[in-house]
Structures are given as structure tokens and as C-alpha cells.
Amino acid sequence: AYYPLGQAWYHLDDFQEARDSLEKAAQFEAPSALLYALLTRTYTMLGETALATRAAEQHRAARSLALAQAAANLGSWAEAEGLVSEFLRTFPHATNGLYLKAVIECDGFRRSREAEALLKEVIASNAADTKARRLLAVLEWASGDAAGFEREMKLVLEADPLDGQAHYYMGRYLLEHDSLTAAREHLDMALKLRPRDYRVYADLARLEEEQGRAAEAERHYG
């Protein structure tokens, strides 16, 4: 709430109140380019030249995170890694940067150990970060740590029972371990939450085949 409050004070020309709210936002919230751009303008209006210069540098660093995300979305992994590293030089403990770096390490360079270490750092800072826990669970499953997968994914689903991706991964995990009834429960829920996710249809079709329901399997494949 501190950032929108700072915005409101800024537009009311109460720059001291804006400064107080924005500095709290910078203390408690994940770094964002919008926040540091407004903080730069606020310091400038107050005549705080040194602080404005520092906030402008932080703004440039925060922008690199958005650029890193865009590069990752395009599969430009080396560029994304360079940009997120630039962000983390200024904000070394920012969980949004650490999470994105973990995704880059995992998806772009297949460095799962490095990704796991980064995700554990994120969770140590914010135990409620279900995105980080979900990705960590998948990496633990891929590395053969079934107990770790179950532990982390159950925590995700306890925190957010409507996490469609978590239901999908749990359903697929249970399907591969021949727990077909439990797998169906999770995959059915995943289908309700992610009706356009082709992976859910594919695994439901596999489940139908395992249970000898050829017609139902064909419907899901279709």
C-alpha cells in the first residue's frame, strides 16, 4: 500500500509525505522501476540532489529486471542472465530478481543445482512465496527427491488451494506413481482452473488409458 499512497501524496504536491511513503515502499516491497522513478522525482522536488541521483541509479537497475524478463520470454537466455545479474548487483537480496535468475538457470541453462540454491534463498526470505516453492518442488522431483517434491507441493496447495499448476504437477506425479484415484482428483481440479492447458488433457488421457477407458482417453486427446 505504500507505493500508491506515495503516488497520491506526490500528486497532491505534498512531497515530504510522498517521500516518507515511497521510502517505506522501497524498504518493504520488491524493487520496481515505477517506484524508483517516482522516488527520483520526489527527491528532485525536495532539492535532495544526492538522493535523487542514487534513486535514478536504482531506477536504471530496476528497469533491467523488466528487460531480463522480456529477454527470458523470448528465450534469449544469455541476455536475460546478464540483465538480471545487473539488477542483483544493486538489489542482491530482492526475491523477484533471485526468482527470475533461478528460472533462467533452470530453463535456459539447465543448471538445476544453481536454480535450487536460488529458490531456497527466496523461500528463506519469504516463506509464503508459492511460485518459488512450486518451482523448487518440480526441480526436486526431477532430481529424484520425491519426499522433497511432496513436502513443497503440499505447502503450496495448503497456501493456495486454487493453484492450477500445483494441482497439475501433483496429479502428474501421482499418475506416475500409480495413485490413480488421487491423481484424478488433482488433474480434474487442474482442468477446472486451467481449461486451456494441453498438458492437463494429455495426462488425463493417460490416466483414462491406465483405467481402460479408451473412449474417454480419446476425448481428452482430441
Side-chain angles (χ1 to χ4, degrees), residues 140-193:
E140 287 175 331
W141 178 17
S143 67
D145 184 358
F149 169 82
E150 291 184 19
R151 179 183 65 251
E152 297 297 340
M153 200 60 78
K154 284 177 181 177
L155 287 170
V156 171
L157 288 169
E158 286 172 7
D160 184 3
L162 298 181
D163 187 325
Q165 288 193 64
H167 280 290
Y168 164 71
Y169 286 122
M170 182 62 87
R172 182 172 181 179
Y173 170 83
L174 292 167
L175 175 59
E176 294 192 2
H177 286 76
D178 296 322
S179 298
L180 301 185
T181 300
R184 176 177 289 280
E185 292 176 3
H186 286 286
L187 290 172
D188 282 343
M189 179 60 76
L191 186 61
K192 290 178 183 178
L193 297 167

Side-chain angles (χ1 to χ4, degrees), residues 90-108:
T90 301
F91 303 104
H93 305 296
T95 56
N96 54 347
L98 292 170
Y99 175 78
L100 180 56
K101 186 169 176 61
V103 171
I104 293 166
E105 294 289 353
C106 174
D107 291 349

Side-chain angles (χ1 to χ4, degrees), residues 185-215:
E185 292 176 3
H186 286 286
L187 290 172
D188 282 343
M189 179 60 76
L191 186 61
K192 290 178 183 178
L193 297 167
R194 300 175 65 83
R196 297 186 179 183
D197 191 334
Y198 71 91
R199 301 173 304 169
V200 181
Y201 287 98
D203 283 317
L204 276 169
R206 286 177 54 201
L207 189 150
E208 299 290 4
E209 288 177 342
E210 290 287 338
Q211 294 183 327
R213 299 172 180 171

